[in-house]
Coordinates of all heavy atoms in Angstrom, one line a residue:
M30 N 67.9 -161.2 141.7 CA 69.3 -161.6 141.3 C 69.6 -163.0 141.7 O 69.2 -163.5 142.8 CB 70.2 -160.6 142.0 CG 71.5 -160.3 141.3 SD 72.7 -159.2 142.1 CE 71.7 -157.7 141.8
P31 N 70.1 -163.7 140.7 CA 70.3 -165.1 141.0 C 71.5 -165.4 142.0 O 72.4 -164.5 142.1 CB 70.9 -165.7 139.6 CG 71.4 -164.5 138.8 CD 70.6 -163.3 139.4
H32 N 71.4 -166.3 142.7 CA 72.6 -166.6 143.7 C 73.3 -167.8 143.3 O 72.8 -168.7 142.8 CB 72.1 -166.7 145.1 CG 71.8 -168.1 145.6 ND1 70.5 -168.7 145.5 CD2 72.5 -169.0 146.1 CE1 70.6 -170.0 146.0 NE2 71.8 -170.2 146.4
Y33 N 74.6 -167.9 143.7 CA 75.5 -168.9 143.2 C 76.3 -169.4 144.5 O 76.5 -168.7 145.4 CB 76.6 -168.4 142.3 CG 75.9 -167.9 141.0 CD1 75.7 -166.6 140.9 CD2 75.7 -168.8 139.9 CE1 75.1 -166.1 139.7 CE2 75.1 -168.3 138.8 CZ 74.8 -167.0 138.7 OH 74.2 -166.4 137.5
D34 N 76.4 -170.8 144.5 CA 77.3 -171.4 145.5 C 78.7 -171.4 144.9 O 78.9 -171.9 143.9 CB 76.8 -172.8 145.8 CG 75.4 -172.8 146.5 OD1 75.3 -171.9 147.4 OD2 74.7 -173.7 146.2
R35 N 79.6 -171.0 145.8 CA 81.0 -170.9 145.2 C 81.9 -171.6 146.1 O 81.6 -171.7 147.4 CB 81.6 -169.4 145.1 CG 80.7 -168.5 144.4 CD 80.9 -168.6 142.9 NE 82.3 -168.2 142.5 CZ 82.8 -168.2 141.3 NH1 82.0 -168.3 140.3 NH2 84.1 -167.9 141.1
I36 N 82.9 -172.3 145.6 CA 83.9 -172.9 146.5 C 85.3 -172.4 146.2 O 85.7 -172.2 145.1 CB 83.9 -174.4 146.3 CG1 84.8 -175.0 147.2 CG2 84.1 -174.8 144.9 CD1 84.7 -176.7 147.4
C37 N 86.0 -172.1 147.3 CA 87.4 -171.8 147.1 C 88.3 -173.0 146.7 O 88.2 -174.0 147.4 CB 87.9 -171.1 148.5 SG 89.7 -170.8 148.5
I38 N 89.1 -172.8 145.6 CA 89.9 -173.9 145.2 C 91.1 -174.0 146.1 O 91.8 -174.9 146.0 CB 90.3 -173.8 143.7 CG1 91.2 -172.5 143.4 CG2 89.0 -173.7 142.8 CD1 91.7 -172.4 142.0
N39 N 91.5 -173.1 146.9 CA 92.6 -173.2 147.8 C 92.3 -173.8 149.2 O 92.8 -174.7 149.5 CB 93.1 -171.8 148.0 CG 94.3 -171.8 149.0 OD1 95.3 -172.5 148.7 ND2 94.2 -171.0 150.0
C40 N 91.2 -173.4 149.8 CA 91.0 -173.7 151.2 C 89.6 -174.6 151.3 O 89.2 -175.1 152.4 CB 90.9 -172.6 152.2 SG 89.5 -171.5 152.1
G41 N 88.9 -174.7 150.2 CA 87.6 -175.5 150.1 C 86.5 -174.7 150.9 O 85.4 -175.4 151.1
N42 N 86.6 -173.4 151.2 CA 85.6 -172.6 151.7 C 84.3 -172.5 150.8 O 84.5 -172.2 149.7 CB 86.0 -171.4 152.1 CG 84.9 -170.4 152.7 OD1 84.1 -170.9 153.6 ND2 85.0 -169.1 152.6
V43 N 83.1 -172.8 151.3 CA 81.9 -172.7 150.5 C 81.1 -171.6 151.0 O 80.8 -171.4 152.2 CB 81.1 -174.1 150.6 CG1 79.8 -173.9 149.7 CG2 81.9 -175.2 150.0
F44 N 80.7 -170.6 150.0 CA 79.9 -169.5 150.2 C 78.9 -169.2 149.1 O 79.1 -169.6 148.1 CB 80.8 -168.3 150.7 CG 81.7 -168.0 149.5 CD1 81.4 -166.9 148.8 CD2 82.9 -168.6 149.4 CE1 82.2 -166.5 147.7 CE2 83.7 -168.3 148.4 CZ 83.3 -167.1 147.5
E45 N 78.0 -168.4 149.5 CA 76.9 -168.0 148.5 C 77.2 -166.5 148.1 O 77.5 -165.7 149.0 CB 75.6 -168.1 149.1 CG 75.1 -169.6 149.2 CD 73.7 -169.6 149.7 OE1 73.0 -168.6 149.7 OE2 73.3 -170.6 150.3
I46 N 77.0 -166.2 146.8 CA 77.0 -164.8 146.5 C 75.7 -164.5 145.6 O 75.2 -165.5 144.9 CB 78.2 -164.5 145.5 CG1 78.2 -165.5 144.3 CG2 79.5 -164.7 146.4 CD1 79.2 -164.9 143.2
F47 N 75.4 -163.2 145.5 CA 74.3 -162.8 144.7 C 75.0 -161.8 143.6 O 75.7 -161.0 144.0 CB 73.3 -162.0 145.5 CG 72.4 -163.0 146.4 CD1 73.0 -163.4 147.7 CD2 71.3 -163.5 146.0 CE1 72.3 -164.2 148.5 CE2 70.5 -164.3 146.9 CZ 71.0 -164.7 148.1
R48 N 74.7 -162.2 142.4 CA 75.3 -161.3 141.4 C 74.5 -161.4 140.1 O 73.7 -162.4 139.8 CB 76.8 -161.6 141.1 CG 76.9 -163.0 140.4 CD 78.3 -163.5 140.5 NE 79.3 -162.5 140.1 CZ 80.4 -162.8 139.6 NH1 80.9 -164.1 139.4 NH2 81.4 -161.9 139.3
R49 N 74.7 -160.4 139.2 CA 74.0 -160.5 137.9 C 74.7 -161.6 137.0 O 75.9 -161.8 137.2 CB 74.1 -159.2 137.2 CG 73.1 -158.2 137.6 CD 73.2 -156.9 136.7 NE 74.5 -156.3 136.9 CZ 74.8 -155.3 137.9 NH1 73.8 -155.1 138.9 NH2 75.9 -154.8 138.0
M50 N 73.9 -162.2 136.2 CA 74.4 -163.2 135.3 C 75.7 -162.7 134.4 O 76.4 -163.4 134.1 CB 73.3 -163.7 134.3 CG 72.2 -164.4 135.2 SD 72.4 -166.2 134.9 CE 71.1 -166.6 133.8
S51 N 75.4 -161.4 134.0 CA 76.4 -160.8 133.2 C 77.7 -160.4 133.8 O 78.7 -160.2 133.2 CB 75.8 -159.4 132.4 OG 75.4 -158.6 133.5
D52 N 77.7 -160.5 135.2 CA 78.8 -160.1 135.9 C 79.8 -161.3 135.9 O 79.5 -162.4 136.7 CB 78.4 -159.7 137.3 CG 79.7 -159.1 138.1 OD1 80.8 -159.2 137.6 OD2 79.4 -158.6 139.3
S53 N 80.9 -161.2 135.2 CA 81.9 -162.4 135.2 C 83.1 -162.1 136.0 O 84.2 -162.7 135.7 CB 82.2 -162.8 133.8 OG 82.6 -161.8 133.1
S54 N 83.2 -160.9 136.8 CA 84.4 -160.6 137.5 C 84.7 -161.7 138.4 O 83.8 -162.4 139.0 CB 84.2 -159.3 138.1 OG 83.2 -159.3 139.0
P55 N 86.0 -161.8 138.8 CA 86.4 -162.9 139.8 C 85.8 -162.7 141.1 O 85.6 -161.5 141.6 CB 88.0 -162.7 139.8 CG 88.4 -161.8 138.7 CD 87.1 -161.0 138.3
V56 N 85.6 -163.7 141.8 CA 85.0 -163.7 143.1 C 86.0 -164.3 144.1 O 86.3 -165.5 144.1 CB 83.7 -164.5 143.2 CG1 83.1 -164.3 144.7 CG2 82.6 -164.0 142.3
P57 N 86.8 -163.5 144.8 CA 87.8 -163.9 145.7 C 87.2 -164.6 146.9 O 86.1 -164.2 147.4 CB 88.6 -162.8 146.2 CG 87.7 -161.5 146.0 CD 86.6 -162.0 144.9
C58 N 87.8 -165.6 147.5 CA 87.3 -166.2 148.8 C 87.3 -165.2 149.9 O 88.3 -164.5 150.1 CB 88.4 -167.5 149.1 SG 88.0 -168.2 150.7
P59 N 86.2 -165.2 150.6 CA 86.3 -164.3 151.8 C 87.2 -164.6 152.8 O 87.6 -163.8 153.7 CB 84.8 -164.4 152.3 CG 84.2 -165.6 151.6 CD 85.0 -165.9 150.5
K60 N 87.7 -165.8 153.0 CA 88.6 -166.3 154.0 C 90.0 -165.9 153.5 O 90.9 -165.4 154.3 CB 88.5 -167.8 154.3 CG 87.4 -168.0 155.3 CD 87.5 -169.5 155.7 CE 86.3 -169.9 156.6 NZ 86.1 -171.4 156.8
C61 N 90.6 -166.5 152.4 CA 91.9 -166.5 152.0 C 92.2 -165.7 150.7 O 93.4 -165.5 150.3 CB 92.5 -167.9 151.8 SG 91.9 -168.7 150.4
K62 N 91.1 -165.1 150.1 CA 91.3 -164.2 148.9 C 91.7 -164.9 147.7 O 92.1 -164.4 146.7 CB 92.2 -163.1 149.2 CG 91.9 -162.2 150.5 CD 90.5 -161.6 150.5 CE 90.3 -160.9 151.8 NZ 88.9 -160.7 152.0
N63 N 91.5 -166.3 147.7 CA 92.1 -167.0 146.5 C 90.9 -167.1 145.6 O 89.7 -166.7 145.8 CB 92.4 -168.5 147.0 CG 94.0 -168.6 146.9 OD1 94.5 -168.8 145.8 ND2 94.7 -168.5 148.0
E64 N 91.2 -167.7 144.4 CA 90.3 -167.9 143.4 C 89.1 -168.9 143.8 O 89.4 -169.9 144.5 CB 91.1 -168.6 142.2 CG 90.3 -168.4 140.8 CD 91.1 -169.2 139.7 OE1 92.4 -169.1 139.8 OE2 90.5 -169.7 138.9
T65 N 88.0 -168.7 143.3 CA 86.8 -169.6 143.6 C 86.1 -170.0 142.2 O 86.3 -169.4 141.2 CB 85.8 -168.9 144.5 OG1 85.3 -167.8 143.8 CG2 86.4 -168.4 145.8
Q66 N 85.3 -171.1 142.4 CA 84.6 -171.7 141.3 C 83.2 -171.9 141.7 O 82.8 -172.0 142.8 CB 85.1 -173.0 140.9 CG 86.6 -172.8 140.3 CD 87.0 -174.3 139.8 OE1 86.5 -175.2 139.9 NE2 88.2 -174.2 139.1
N67 N 82.3 -171.8 140.5 CA 80.9 -172.0 140.8 C 80.7 -173.5 141.0 O 81.0 -174.3 140.1 CB 80.2 -171.5 139.6 CG 78.7 -171.4 139.7 OD1 78.0 -172.2 140.3 ND2 78.1 -170.3 139.2
I68 N 80.1 -173.9 142.1 CA 79.8 -175.3 142.4 C 78.8 -176.0 141.4 O 79.1 -177.0 140.9 CB 79.3 -175.4 143.9 CG1 80.5 -175.2 144.8 CG2 78.7 -176.9 144.0 CD1 80.0 -175.2 146.3
I69 N 77.7 -175.2 141.2 CA 76.7 -175.8 140.3 C 77.3 -176.2 138.9 O 77.0 -177.2 138.4 CB 75.5 -174.8 140.2 CG1 74.8 -174.7 141.5 CG2 74.5 -175.3 139.2 CD1 73.9 -173.4 141.7
L70 N 78.1 -175.4 138.4 CA 78.6 -175.7 137.0 C 79.8 -176.6 136.9 O 80.0 -177.4 136.1 CB 79.2 -174.3 136.4 CG 78.1 -173.2 136.0 CD1 78.8 -172.0 135.4 CD2 77.2 -173.9 135.0
E71 N 80.5 -176.7 138.0 CA 81.8 -177.6 138.1 C 81.5 -178.9 138.7 O 82.2 -179.8 138.2 CB 82.9 -176.7 138.9 CG 83.3 -175.4 138.4 CD 83.9 -175.6 137.0 OE1 84.5 -176.6 136.7 OE2 83.8 -174.6 136.2
A72 N 80.7 -179.0 139.6 CA 80.5 -180.3 140.4 C 80.2 -181.4 139.5 O 80.7 -182.6 139.7 CB 79.5 -180.1 141.4
P73 N 79.3 -181.4 138.3 CA 79.0 -182.6 137.7 C 80.1 -183.3 137.0 O 80.2 -184.5 136.9 CB 78.1 -182.1 136.6 CG 77.4 -180.8 137.2 CD 78.5 -180.3 138.1
T74 N 81.3 -182.6 136.7 CA 82.4 -183.2 136.2 C 83.0 -184.2 137.1 O 83.6 -185.2 136.8 CB 83.6 -182.2 135.9 OG1 84.0 -181.6 137.0 CG2 83.1 -181.1 134.8
T75 N 82.9 -184.0 138.4 CA 83.4 -185.0 139.4 C 82.7 -186.3 139.1 O 83.4 -187.3 139.4 CB 83.0 -184.5 140.8 OG1 83.5 -183.1 141.0 CG2 83.6 -185.4 141.8
F76 N 81.5 -186.3 138.8 CA 80.7 -187.6 138.7 C 80.8 -188.2 137.4 O 80.3 -189.2 137.1 CB 79.3 -187.3 139.1 CG 79.2 -186.7 140.5 CD1 78.9 -185.3 140.8 CD2 79.5 -187.4 141.6 CE1 78.9 -184.7 142.0 CE2 79.5 -186.9 143.0 CZ 79.2 -185.6 143.1
T77 N 81.4 -187.6 136.4 CA 81.5 -188.1 135.1 C 82.8 -188.8 134.8 O 83.1 -189.2 133.8 CB 81.1 -187.1 133.9 OG1 82.2 -186.0 134.1 CG2 79.8 -186.6 134.1
R78 N 83.7 -188.6 135.7 CA 85.1 -189.1 135.5 C 85.2 -190.5 135.3 O 86.0 -190.9 134.4 CB 86.0 -188.6 136.8 CG 86.4 -189.7 137.5 CD 87.0 -189.4 138.8 NE 86.5 -190.1 139.9 CZ 86.9 -191.4 140.1 NH1 87.7 -192.1 139.3 NH2 86.4 -192.1 141.2
N79 N 84.3 -191.2 135.9 CA 84.5 -192.6 135.6 C 84.0 -193.1 134.2 O 84.5 -194.2 133.7 CB 83.5 -193.4 136.6 CG 84.2 -193.5 137.9 OD1 85.5 -193.4 138.2 ND2 83.4 -193.5 139.1
I80 N 83.2 -192.3 133.6 CA 82.9 -192.6 132.2 C 84.0 -192.4 131.3 O 84.3 -193.1 130.4 CB 81.6 -191.8 131.8 CG1 80.5 -192.2 132.6 CG2 81.4 -191.9 130.3 CD1 79.3 -191.1 132.7
D81 N 84.7 -191.3 131.5 CA 85.9 -190.9 130.7 C 87.1 -191.9 130.9 O 87.8 -192.2 130.0 CB 86.4 -189.5 130.9 CG 85.3 -188.5 130.5 OD1 84.5 -188.9 129.7 OD2 85.3 -187.4 131.0
H82 N 87.3 -192.3 132.1 CA 88.5 -193.0 132.6 C 88.1 -194.2 133.5 O 88.3 -194.1 134.6 CB 89.5 -192.2 133.3 CG 89.9 -191.0 132.5 ND1 90.9 -190.9 131.5 CD2 89.5 -189.6 132.5 CE1 91.1 -189.7 131.0 NE2 90.2 -189.0 131.6
P83 N 87.4 -195.2 132.9 CA 86.7 -196.2 133.8 C 87.8 -196.9 134.6 O 87.5 -197.6 135.7 CB 86.0 -197.0 132.8 CG 86.5 -196.7 131.5 CD 87.1 -195.4 131.5
D84 N 89.1 -197.1 134.1 CA 90.0 -197.9 134.7 C 91.0 -197.1 135.5 O 91.8 -197.8 136.3 CB 90.7 -198.7 133.7 CG 89.9 -199.7 132.9 OD1 88.8 -200.2 133.6 OD2 90.0 -199.8 131.7
S85 N 90.9 -195.8 135.5 CA 91.9 -195.0 136.2 C 91.6 -194.8 137.6 O 90.4 -194.4 138.0 CB 92.0 -193.7 135.6 OG 92.5 -193.8 134.2
P86 N 92.7 -195.0 138.6 CA 92.3 -194.8 140.0 C 92.2 -193.1 140.1 O 92.7 -192.4 139.2 CB 93.5 -195.1 140.8 CG 94.5 -195.4 139.7 CD 93.8 -195.6 138.3
L87 N 91.4 -192.6 141.0 CA 91.2 -191.3 141.2 C 92.5 -190.3 141.3 O 92.4 -189.3 140.7 CB 90.4 -191.0 142.4 CG 89.7 -189.6 142.6 CD1 89.0 -189.2 141.6 CD2 89.0 -189.6 144.0
D88 N 93.5 -190.9 141.9 CA 94.7 -190.2 142.1 C 95.5 -189.9 140.7 O 96.3 -189.0 140.8 CB 95.7 -190.9 143.0 CG 95.1 -190.8 144.5 OD1 94.1 -190.2 144.7 OD2 95.8 -191.5 145.3
E89 N 95.1 -190.6 139.7 CA 95.8 -190.3 138.4 C 95.0 -189.2 137.6 O 95.6 -188.9 136.5 CB 96.0 -191.6 137.7 CG 97.0 -192.5 138.3 CD 97.0 -193.8 137.6 OE1 96.6 -194.0 136.4 OE2 97.9 -194.7 138.1
I90 N 93.9 -188.9 138.0 CA 93.2 -187.9 137.3 C 93.7 -186.5 137.5 O 93.7 -186.1 138.7 CB 91.6 -187.9 137.6 CG1 91.1 -189.4 137.4 CG2 90.9 -187.0 136.7 CD1 91.1 -189.9 136.1
P91 N 94.1 -185.7 136.5 CA 94.4 -184.3 136.8 C 93.6 -183.6 137.6 O 92.3 -183.6 137.2 CB 94.7 -183.7 135.4 CG 94.8 -185.0 134.5 CD 94.0 -186.1 135.0
G92 N 93.8 -182.8 138.6 CA 92.9 -182.0 139.3 C 92.1 -182.8 140.3 O 91.1 -182.3 140.7
H93 N 92.5 -184.1 140.6 CA 91.5 -185.0 141.3 C 91.4 -184.3 142.8 O 90.3 -184.4 143.3 CB 92.1 -186.3 141.5 CG 93.4 -186.4 142.2 ND1 94.6 -186.2 141.8 CD2 93.6 -186.7 143.6 CE1 95.5 -186.3 142.9 NE2 94.8 -186.6 144.0
E94 N 92.4 -183.7 143.3 CA 92.4 -183.2 144.6 C 91.4 -182.1 144.8 O 90.5 -182.1 145.6 CB 93.7 -182.7 145.1 CG 94.0 -183.0 146.5 CD 95.5 -182.8 146.9 OE1 96.3 -183.5 146.2 OE2 95.8 -181.8 147.7
Q95 N 91.4 -181.2 143.8 CA 90.5 -180.1 143.8 C 89.1 -180.6 143.6 O 88.1 -180.2 144.2 CB 90.9 -179.2 142.6 CG 89.9 -178.0 142.4 CD 90.4 -177.2 141.2 OE1 91.6 -177.3 140.9 NE2 89.6 -176.5 140.5
K96 N 88.9 -181.6 142.6 CA 87.5 -182.1 142.4 C 87.0 -182.9 143.6 O 85.8 -182.8 143.9 CB 87.6 -182.9 141.2 CG 87.6 -182.2 139.9 CD 87.6 -183.1 138.6 CE 87.7 -182.2 137.4 NZ 87.9 -183.0 136.3
R97 N 87.9 -183.7 144.3 CA 87.4 -184.3 145.5 C 86.9 -183.4 146.5 O 86.0 -183.5 147.3 CB 88.5 -185.2 146.1 CG 88.2 -186.0 147.2 CD 88.9 -187.3 147.5 NE 90.3 -187.2 147.1 CZ 91.2 -188.1 146.9 NH1 90.8 -189.4 147.0 NH2 92.4 -188.0 146.7
K98 N 87.8 -182.3 146.8 CA 87.5 -181.2 147.7 C 86.1 -180.7 147.4 O 85.3 -180.4 148.2 CB 88.5 -180.1 147.6 CG 88.9 -179.6 149.0 CD 89.8 -178.4 148.8 CE 91.3 -178.7 149.1 NZ 92.2 -177.5 148.9
M99 N 86.0 -180.4 146.0 CA 84.7 -179.7 145.7 C 83.5 -180.7 145.9 O 82.4 -180.3 146.3 CB 84.8 -179.4 144.2 CG 83.8 -178.5 143.7 SD 84.2 -178.0 141.9 CE 85.7 -177.1 142.1
A100 N 83.7 -182.0 145.5 CA 82.6 -183.0 145.8 C 82.3 -183.1 147.3 O 81.1 -183.1 147.7 CB 83.0 -184.3 145.2
D101 N 83.4 -183.1 148.1 CA 83.1 -183.1 149.6 C 82.2 -182.0 150.1 O 81.3 -182.0 150.8 CB 84.4 -183.1 150.3 CG 85.2 -184.5 150.3 OD1 84.5 -185.4 149.8 OD2 86.3 -184.6 150.6
A102 N 82.6 -180.8 149.5 CA 82.0 -179.6 149.8 C 80.5 -179.5 149.4 O 79.7 -179.1 150.2 CB 82.7 -178.3 149.3
V103 N 80.2 -180.1 148.3 CA 78.9 -180.2 147.7 C 78.0 -181.0 148.7 O 77.0 -180.8 149.1 CB 78.8 -180.6 146.3 CG1 77.4 -180.9 145.9 CG2 79.5 -179.7 145.4
I104 N 78.7 -182.1 149.0 CA 77.9 -183.1 150.0 C 77.7 -182.5 151.3 O 76.6 -182.6 151.8 CB 78.8 -184.4 150.0 CG1 78.8 -185.2 148.7 CG2 78.3 -185.4 151.2 CD1 79.9 -186.3 148.5
R105 N 78.7 -181.9 151.8 CA 78.6 -181.2 153.2 C 77.4 -180.2 153.0 O 76.7 -180.1 154.0 CB 79.9 -180.6 153.6 CG 80.8 -181.3 154.5 CD 81.7 -180.4 155.2 NE 82.4 -179.4 154.4 CZ 83.6 -179.5 153.8 NH1 84.1 -180.7 153.9 NH2 84.0 -178.5 153.1
K106 N 77.5 -179.4 152.0 CA 76.5 -178.3 151.9 C 75.1 -178.9 151.8 O 74.2 -178.4 152.4 CB 76.8 -177.4 150.8 CG 75.9 -176.2 150.7 CD 76.2 -175.1 149.7 CE 75.5 -173.9 149.9 NZ 73.9 -174.2 150.2
T107 N 75.0 -180.0 150.9 CA 73.7 -180.5 150.8 C 73.1 -181.2 152.0 O 72.0 -180.9 152.4 CB 73.7 -181.7 149.8 OG1 74.5 -181.2 148.5 CG2 72.5 -182.3 149.4
L108 N 74.0 -181.8 152.8 CA 73.6 -182.3 154.1 C 73.1 -181.1 155.1 O 72.2 -181.2 155.8 CB 74.7 -183.1 154.8 CG 75.0 -184.5 154.2 CD1 76.3 -185.1 154.6 CD2 74.0 -185.3 154.3
K109 N 73.9 -180.1 155.0 CA 73.6 -179.0 155.8 C 72.2 -178.3 155.5 O 71.5 -178.1 156.4 CB 74.7 -177.9 155.7 CG 74.9 -177.0 156.8 CD 76.2 -176.2 156.7 CE 76.3 -174.9 157.3 NZ 77.3 -174.0 156.9
D110 N 72.1 -178.2 154.2 CA 70.7 -177.6 153.6 C 69.7 -178.6 154.1 O 68.5 -178.1 154.4 CB 70.8 -177.5 152.1 CG 71.6 -176.4 151.7 OD1 72.0 -175.6 152.6 OD2 72.0 -176.2 150.5
M111 N 69.8 -179.9 154.1 CA 68.8 -180.8 154.6 C 68.7 -180.9 156.2 O 67.9 -181.6 156.7 CB 69.1 -182.2 154.1 CG 69.0 -182.3 152.5 SD 69.7 -183.8 151.9 CE 68.7 -185.1 152.7
G112 N 69.5 -180.1 156.9 CA 69.5 -180.1 158.4 C 70.1 -181.3 159.0 O 69.7 -181.7 160.1
K113 N 70.9 -182.0 158.3 CA 71.6 -183.2 158.8 C 73.0 -182.9 159.4 O 73.6 -183.9 159.9 CB 71.7 -184.2 157.8 CG 70.4 -184.6 157.2 CD 70.1 -186.1 156.9 CE 68.8 -186.3 156.5 NZ 68.4 -187.6 156.0
L114 N 73.4 -181.7 159.4 CA 74.7 -181.4 160.0 C 74.6 -180.5 161.1 O 73.8 -179.5 161.0 CB 75.7 -180.8 159.0 CG 76.5 -181.9 158.2 CD1 77.5 -181.2 157.3 CD2 77.3 -182.7 159.1
Ligands
ZN204 ZN1 89.8 -169.7 150.6

């Protein structure tokens, strides 16, 4: 079964789940029960924002806070996986 890295859009909690590809039911955050997103699918949008809005400061991009949280979590998790945290 494939595993996915998920991030809570409310508290930024990052966790892994194992589920079938066909299973698209919501995955609540284990900490606060809020909505979560798949990091692998969502994270790249964080890094393409400058191409779409090269002159806009980050704070003017809709959803910037969520994306920044997500980017931070991805970086944290990558560092952890590398044994640097
Ligand atoms: Zn949460």
Side-chain angles (χ1 to χ4, degrees):
M30 209 177 286
H32 94 266
Y33 299 92
D34 292 323
R35 305 279 301 188
I36 181 168
C37 174
I38 62 175
N39 180 54
C40 72
N42 181 34
V43 177
F44 59 99
E45 289 180 19
I46 58 161
F47 291 84
R48 71 192 312 201
R49 281 185 295 275
M50 297 258 255
S51 56
D52 185 356
S53 60
S54 60
V56 183
C58 172
K60 277 188 185 169
C61 69
K62 312 295 179 205
N63 252 280
E64 198 183 327
T65 60
Q66 289 186 354
N67 193 318
I68 287 177
I69 293 164
L70 292 177
E71 299 294 335
T74 61
T75 305
F76 304 107
T77 58
R78 110 190 134 71
N79 284 333
I80 295 163
D81 296 335
H82 307 276
D84 299 324
S85 300
L87 186 61
D88 286 357
E89 286 178 13
I90 308 293
H93 73 275
E94 216 166 297
Q95 181 182 331
K96 284 182 177 166
R97 181 153 39 189
K98 221 187 250 183
M99 202 175 287
D101 285 348
V103 171
I104 291 163
R105 262 205 315 274
K106 186 175 189 315
T107 305
L108 288 173
K109 206 166 150 192
D110 287 348
M111 290 165 68
K113 305 220 169 171
L114 269 183

